[in-house]
Amino acid sequence: METAIDHSRKTFEKIPLTIAESISSGGKAIARQIADLILDKQRTGEMAVLGLATGSSPLVVYQELIRLHKDENLSFRNVISFNLDEYYPMQGNSGQSYVHFMHENLFRHIDILPENVHIPDGSVPSDHVQDFCHKYEQLINEAGGIDIQLLGIGRNGHIGFNEPGSSFQSLTRLVKLDPVTVTDASKDFVREEFVPVMAITMGIGTILRARRVIMMAWGEAKARVIREMIEGDVREQIPATILQMHPRVHVYLDQWAAMELARIKTPWLVEVCRWNDELKKRAVIWLSRRLQKPVLKLTSDDYKHHGLADLIRQEGAYDLNIRIYHSLQKTITGWPGGKKHADDSERPERALPWPKRSLIFSPHPDDDVISMGGTLLRLVDQGHEVHVAYQTSGNIAVADDEALRFAGFLRDFSQATDLVPKRFQAIHQHIERFFESKLPGAEDSPMVQLIKGLIRRGEAEAACRFCGVMEKNVHFINMPFYETGKVKKNPLGEADIQVVATLVEKVKPHQIFAAGDLRDPHGTHRVCLDAIFAALQRLRDKPWMKDCYLWLYRGAWQEWDIEDIDMAVPISPEELMRKRNAIFKHQSQKDSPVFPGDDKREFWQRSEARNRATALLYDKLGLAEYEAIEAFKRYYY
Ligand code: F6R
C-alpha cells in the first residue's frame, strides 16, 4: 500500500499539507477520510453532508469511492451532496454540464439517493437565478451545513468558480468566468468561444462555513498557485489564500504541485540540509540567478548571507564554484549523436557506435520540430540515421475550415482531371453538410477525422523532407488511445504499448528522443510517454537495448529546469531559421491552433523564445553565449 510521505508543517507554510507519493495514493487518502465520515455518521444514524467538486482533480477520489462502494460495501444512502458549481447557461443533459460529469464519474456507480444530490441548476431562467442561489444556501443550512468540502484549485487561485477579486463573504451566486478559467475549460469545449462565460457557484463564505475542507492539486501547472496559497499573504486576488483562515483545512499535493514550495524548491532556507551533489548544484544555480552573478564570481559571503553557510563549510566557495561550473559546461555539446573519434568521457553522448540510429518520438505531428528541430537537423547533418515516429494523428487540432478546404481541393482536382468527380463531389458535400449541422465541440464524422489526420500527416512529411529525414524512416504509428474523435482520450492500453514496442524493435535505435512531460498528470504527451516507458521495460533485456540512451525533451510549453539538463545542444542563428521553416510546414497549426493554451503566441515563437531563454540562462551563469539552446534530460529506464 502506498503511503503519503510528509505530514509536517514547515517554515513559511500556513496550511497543513501532505505530499503524496502519487496522485492515486493522494486520492485514496482523501477518499478514506470521506468514507470514515460516512461510516461515523452511519453509526450515529446521521446524514453525512458532502460538498463536491468537478474537474480533473477529484477523479481519483471518486474512483476510489466507487471502489469502496463496490469492493467494501460502503453505502452512500446516508449522504447528502452539494456540488460547488455549474456553468451558466447549461442544460443538465449536455455532455459538458457538471450534472453529466457527476453522474458519469460518481453518482451512477454508487447508491446515493437522487433526492439527496444537489447541483446548481444551469438551466434556470436568468430572472430566477437569484432565488435559486438563495434557496441553495437554505438547503445547505437545512441539511445542517457541510461536513467535508472537497476542493480543487484553478491556476488563478479560484475555488469553486470564485474568481480573483471575489469577496471572502460571498454566497452562492451567478458569476462571470475569468479568462484563465475559460482557457482551461476550453479543453472540454474544444474552442474558447464555446465555453459559457458565466457560472453559478457557491460563495467563498459558503465554502468557509464547511466544518472541514480538503483541497487537492496535482501536476506542475498548479505549482505556482499552490505556493501562493500555502506561503503567500491572504488576498482576494488569489481567493484560495483565504483557506489559511479556516480552522480545519488540509491540502493534498503530488510532488509536482508541491515543487514550488520552499521546502522543495529552496530547502536550505527551511531546514538544515543533507547535501548531495544534485542539491548542491541546485543551490549554486539558485544563488547565481538570485544575485545575477556568474557562478565563478560567487563569494563565501554570498553563500553565507543567503542561508548557505553550511554548504561551503566542507568544500569552500572556490572549489564548489569550479565543480558546478564544470558540470554545467559538460552538458553542452554540438554533437547530439556523439562525436566520432573524440574523447567522450566528458560528453553527454558516446562517440560510438557511429553513425547512430536515432529514433525521435513525437506525440503530435509537430512536437519533433517544435521541441527539438535544431537537434533533429544536426543529427541529420552529422550523418546519423534519423527516424521519426509520430505517435498520434493530431486530427483534433485541425480546424473544420481546413478540412473543407482540402475536400474542396479533392473535388476540384477530380473535376479538372475527370477522375471519378462524382465521388469526390459527394465527399465534399458530406463534409459541407456535416459542418453545417455540427454542434460546438461535437465529435467529427470518421471521414472528417480521416481528412484532418491526413492533413497533419502531409505536414509532418513535408517537415521531414525539409529536414532531410528519409521517407522510409518516417513512421506514423497512430496510437489507438487517441482515436476517440473527441478531446477526451482513452487511457493507455495494451495496443498502444504494442505499436511502440514493435517500432522500437524494428528500428533497434542507439538513442531515443521522447517528449518527457513527466510533470503533467493528464494529456496526450503523458500517455505517449507512458507507452514508451512500458515498451522499453518489455524490451530492456534485448541485447541491442543494452546500450540505448533515452533523452527526454520537454513539450511545447515549458523547458527543463537548468539543473536537470544533461545535454544542451547549441543552435546557431542559421539553424534557428531552418528550425522555424520546418515548423512552418505545419500550416494547419499556424494561424490559430485549436489549443493555444494560455500563451497566444504561435508555436515557432514560443519555441524560439524558450530556446533563447535557455541560452541566456547558460550565458548568465557564466558559460558561453549562444543564440539558442535545446535541452534534454537523460532518463534511466
Ligand atoms: C470544480 C471547480 C473548480 C475546479 C478547479 C480545478 O467544481 O469548482 O474550482 O476545482 O478549476 O480544476 P481541475 O481539477 O480540472 O484542475
Side-chain angles (χ1 to χ4, degrees):
M1 158 98 179
E2 286 175 296
T3 49
I5 52 173
D6 199 341
H7 283 275
S8 58
R9 180 107 61 118
K10 303 270 194 220
T11 319
F12 304 123
E13 292 175 3
K14 299 168 187 165
I15 297 181
L17 60 97
T18 296
I19 302 176
E21 269 179 12
S22 65
I23 301 177
S24 104
S25 69
K28 282 184 182 150
I30 297 171
R32 190 66 261 163
Q33 307 207 27
I34 294 175
D36 287 346
L37 170 83
I38 296 172
L39 293 170
D40 279 351
K41 295 281 184 183
Q42 275 168 14
R43 279 188 278 275
T44 52
E46 288 172 280
M47 299 300 282
V49 185
L50 301 180
L52 298 178
T54 53
S56 54
S57 310
L59 285 174
V60 275
V61 178
Y62 298 154
Q63 277 153 15
E64 176 64 6
L65 288 175
I66 294 167
R67 193 197 66 75
L68 288 171
H69 173 67
K70 297 214 159 115
D71 298 351
E72 298 182 20
N73 294 323
L74 176 68
S75 170
F76 290 77
R77 293 184 89 78
N78 70 322
V79 170
I80 300 179
S81 75
F82 288 92
N83 259 78
L84 277 167
D85 41 24
E86 176 63 280
Y87 293 109
Y88 188 86
M90 179 58 73
Q91 296 301 319
N93 59 2
S94 153
Q96 283 121 349
S97 76
Y98 284 167
V99 170
H100 177 80
F101 176 99
M102 289 308 297
H103 184 71
E104 280 305 302
N105 292 300
L106 183 63
F107 296 147
R108 81 180 174 88
H109 306 280
I110 58 176
D111 61 348
I112 191 166
L113 300 172
E115 60 269 30
N116 288 343
V117 166
H118 305 88
I119 301 177
D121 184 354
S123 70
V124 285
S126 54
D127 47 351
H128 285 84
V129 171
Q130 225 180 341
D131 283 350
F132 175 86
C133 294
H134 185 66
K135 188 89 198 299
Y136 204 69
E137 289 284 332
Q138 252 177 4
L139 286 173
I140 297 175
N141 290 338
E142 281 163 19
I146 290 172
D147 291 306
I148 292 184
Q149 175 65 56
L150 202 56
L151 290 180
I153 184 170
R155 283 185 306 128
N156 57 4
H158 75 204
I159 44 178
F161 277 139
N162 294 285
E163 303 290 24
S166 298
S167 151
F168 291 151
Q169 280 81 41
S170 53
L171 298 177
T172 304
R173 69 205 184 287
L174 186 66
V175 292
K176 266 175 88 172
L177 295 179
D178 181 75
V180 174
T181 304
V182 172
T183 300
D184 284 353
S186 64
K187 63 180 184 305
D188 297 323
F189 290 84
V190 179
R191 280 187 174 272
E192 276 193 22
E193 57 263 36
F194 302 152
V195 180
V197 288
M198 287 187 289
I200 297 177
T201 182
M202 278 187 197
I204 300 184
T206 326
I207 293 170
L208 290 178
R209 281 206 306 271
R211 283 181 276 283
R212 271 170 79 185
V213 173
I214 300 179
M215 154 151 326
M216 76 224 117
W218 325 119
E220 185 181 11
K222 301 287 170 70
R224 278 176 195 279
V225 77
I226 285 296
R227 182 189 59 203
E228 291 291 345
M229 179 185 82
I230 304 275
E231 297 176 355
D233 297 331
V234 175
R235 54 198 193 280
E236 285 174 350
Q237 272 317 306
I238 305 197
T241 55
I242 191 61
L243 295 179
Q244 294 178 15
M245 298 299 166
H246 194 281
R248 201 163 172 212
V249 54
H250 198 93
V251 177
Y252 285 83
L253 306 171
D254 68 347
Q255 56 168 326
W256 303 115
M259 64 183 273
E260 289 289 330
L261 294 177
R263 67 157 99 178
I264 311 277
K265 187 100 180 157
T266 51
W268 46 88
L269 299 180
V270 174
E271 60 198 348
V272 178
C273 287
R274 265 202 256 132
W275 292 104
N276 57 27
D277 278 351
E278 191 201 317
L279 201 58
K280 285 181 186 176
K281 189 171 177 184
R282 268 176 54 195
V284 174
I285 291 172
W286 171 81
L287 187 63
S288 162
R289 294 182 67 180
R290 180 162 180 151
L291 299 180
Q292 298 184 6
K293 261 181 165 187
V295 170
L296 293 177
K297 285 191 180 171
L298 294 172
T299 66
S300 305
D301 275 350
D302 292 334
Y303 282 96
K304 282 182 201 153
H305 291 144
H306 291 87
L308 289 167
D310 55 330
L311 173 60
I312 53 166
R313 197 156 289 160
Q314 291 168 349
E315 206 170 355
Y318 181 82
D319 286 342
L320 179 65
N321 291 349
I322 292 195
R323 209 159 55 74
I324 300 302
Y325 177 86
H326 277 304
S327 76
L328 287 164
Q329 176 67 44
K330 278 195 305 200
T331 63
I332 302 174
T333 181
W335 301 85
K339 189 173 185 185
K340 198 159 107 176
H341 305 315
D343 172 9
D344 59 8
S345 54
E346 301 263 282
R347 289 171 178 275
E349 253 299 351
R350 305 139 294 166
L352 299 174
W354 202 96
K356 290 197 173 53
R357 278 188 300 278
S358 311
L359 173 56
I360 298 171
F361 279 104
S362 181
H364 299 98
D366 53 358
D367 290 309
D368 54 343
V369 283
I370 290 173
S371 297
M372 56 168 293
T375 305
L376 194 164
L377 284 162
R378 278 198 177 221
L379 287 167
V380 173
D381 291 350
Q382 290 169 1
H384 300 287
E385 181 183 318
V386 177
H387 293 252
V388 185
Y390 297 102
Q391 294 179 271
T392 69
S393 68
N395 58 10
I396 202 87
V398 177
D400 294 349
D401 195 43
E402 281 287 293
L404 200 57
R405 185 159 77 92
F406 276 78
F409 170 82
L410 276 180
R411 180 200 53 193
D412 298 345
F413 181 79
S414 69
Q415 253 160 17
T417 53
D418 217 17
L419 257 173
V420 274
K422 277 218 171 87
R423 286 221 48 197
F424 289 106
Q425 220 159 16
I427 293 174
H428 185 264
Q429 238 169 35
H430 157 82
I431 292 177
E432 217 171 23
R433 288 212 190 112
F434 177 78
F435 287 145
E436 269 162 23
S437 59
K438 183 179 167 187
L439 291 171
E443 194 177 326
D444 281 329
S445 73
M447 173 77 79
V448 174
Q449 287 178 40
L450 178 68
I451 293 191
K452 288 185 171 182
L454 288 176
I455 291 174
R456 298 212 68 182
R457 182 184 172 123
E459 291 170 346
E461 283 168 346
C464 279
R465 235 180 352 261
F466 177 84
C467 294
V469 179
M470 291 167 76
E471 205 179 323
K472 68 178 172 57
N473 295 341
V474 181
H475 313 271
F476 294 92
I477 59 175
N478 281 328
M479 288 170 61
F481 86 92
Y482 186 87
E483 297 305 322
T484 57
K486 292 184 260 188
V487 179
K488 195 166 188 290
K489 307 300 179 203
N490 291 327
L492 179 68
E494 174 56 29
D496 298 304
I497 302 170
Q498 262 310 323
V499 282
V500 173
T502 307
L503 181 73
V504 175
E505 183 133 37
K506 187 169 133 201
V507 175
K508 298 191 176 42
H510 302 112
Q511 54 172 194
I512 293 176
F513 292 86
D517 292 291
L518 294 168
R519 301 162 173 186
D520 172 13
H522 316 291
T524 297
H525 280 217
R526 183 68 223 220
V527 182
C528 286
L529 183 64
D530 285 343
I532 296 171
F533 285 159
L536 296 189
Q537 273 307 320
R538 284 185 195 179
L539 299 169
R540 59 188 301 185
D541 292 331
K542 304 268 179 190
W544 47 269
M545 271 309 288
K546 292 264 181 295
D547 209 21
C548 178
Y549 281 22
L550 173 57
W551 294 103
L552 300 183
Y553 60 85
R554 298 289 318 265
W557 321 98
Q558 253 154 334
E559 190 50 278
W560 296 111
D561 287 335
I562 196 104
E563 56 268 24
D564 287 334
I565 296 173
D566 294 313
M567 177 158 75
V569 181
I571 313 289
S572 71
E574 273 90 4
E575 280 169 327
L576 204 60
M577 279 310 292
R578 284 171 73 202
K579 169 174 173 168
R580 184 191 293 184
N581 285 323
I583 298 174
F584 280 176
K585 300 292 174 199
H586 295 274
Q587 285 171 3
S588 69
Q589 305 301 295
K590 208 179 130 26
D591 292 333
S592 57
V594 177
F595 300 112
D598 54 340
D599 184 341
K600 305 283 182 220
R601 290 173 301 171
E602 286 185 32
F603 286 121
W604 66 271
Q605 292 170 310
R606 277 190 255 175
S607 147
E608 277 180 26
R610 167 175 141 189
N611 295 160
R612 286 206 169 94
T614 309
L616 189 66
L617 224 53
Y618 268 80
D619 177 23
K620 292 265 182 265
L621 291 170
L623 292 116
E625 185 180 340
Y626 293 103
E627 175 75 8
I629 285 180
E630 286 176 348
F632 303 87
K633 180 175 172 57
R634 183 157 171 215
Y635 190 87
Y636 297 84
Y637 52 92

